[in-house]
Amino acid sequence: MLIYMVMEQAIITWIHLISASIWVGGSIFLGVVLAPLLKKMSLSIEERLELMIKVGRRFNKIALPSLIILIGTGIYNSHLVLQSPEILFSSSYGAFLITKIVLVIALIITFAVHIRVFSKDVEQKINERQIPDIELKKLNKKGMILGETTVVISVAILFFAALMDAGV
């Protein structure tokens, strides 16, 4: 029976780590590799935004399920450690977990805003060249800020996960 419990936990941790790799790795790639590369290319701002939106939508097909799995497996893993509610408020694990929860909420809000800013309607207007240059520049700036914020929050969540795992 013990081997099954150990294997179950190993599989859940593995799924959690794969999901974190997809979410964080993809976010870092988009924000640190692709976006700066597009800036250096001789594309118009519309073409850069079109490409980023297409890549972002494609990434979201695996990123959103990964984020949902991360949250689910994170809750499951935490409930194993938190045998009583007092642990949440009287231990470093609890303090780190609360911080992580706040960061996850901030991440979800940032992600939702990012999705809303680059809605299908906005994408269509960009494709049809219906947005003035000044607005495109503002839209591009918002995208950069939201993308960078997503990366920073995601990496911070990983840091707190490492602290929790280390038993600090």
Side-chain angles (χ1 to χ4, degrees), residues 84-95 98:
S84 68
E86 296 83 43
I87 294 173
L88 191 60
F89 301 104
S90 64
S91 68
S92 60
Y93 181 92
I98 290 169

Side-chain angles (χ1 to χ4, degrees), residues 117-135:
V117 166
F118 293 100
S119 66
K120 289 275 189 189
D121 182 50
V122 170
E123 181 181 13
Q124 184 177 349
K125 287 179 181 176
I126 291 169
N127 292 340
E128 295 171 358
R129 307 298 190 252
Q130 295 178 352
I131 301 178
D133 278 353
I134 187 109
E135 292 303 315

Side-chain angles (χ1 to χ4, degrees), residues 2 19-20 35 61 63 65 71 74 85 90 99 112 114 120 124 144 147 149 155 162 164:
L2 181 61
S19 297
K61 289 179 181 180
I71 292 168
S90 64
T99 303
H114 204 151
K120 289 275 189 189
Q124 184 177 349
M144 294 298 287
T149 302
V155 170
M164 291 165 63

Side-chain angles (χ1 to χ4, degrees), residues 92-105:
S92 60
Y93 181 92
F96 295 147
L97 180 60
I98 290 169
T99 303
K100 226 176 128 179
I101 290 168
V102 170
L103 288 169
V104 168
I105 291 168

Side-chain angles (χ1 to χ4, degrees), residues 135-167:
E135 292 303 315
L136 284 171
K137 287 179 182 174
K138 287 179 186 177
L139 196 58
N140 189 51
K141 184 71 174 169
K142 282 181 190 176
M144 294 298 287
I145 290 169
L146 289 166
E148 290 168 1
T149 302
T150 298
V151 169
V152 169
I153 294 172
S154 297
V155 170
I157 291 168
L158 282 181
F159 176 71
F160 282 97
L163 290 173
M164 291 165 63
D165 185 61

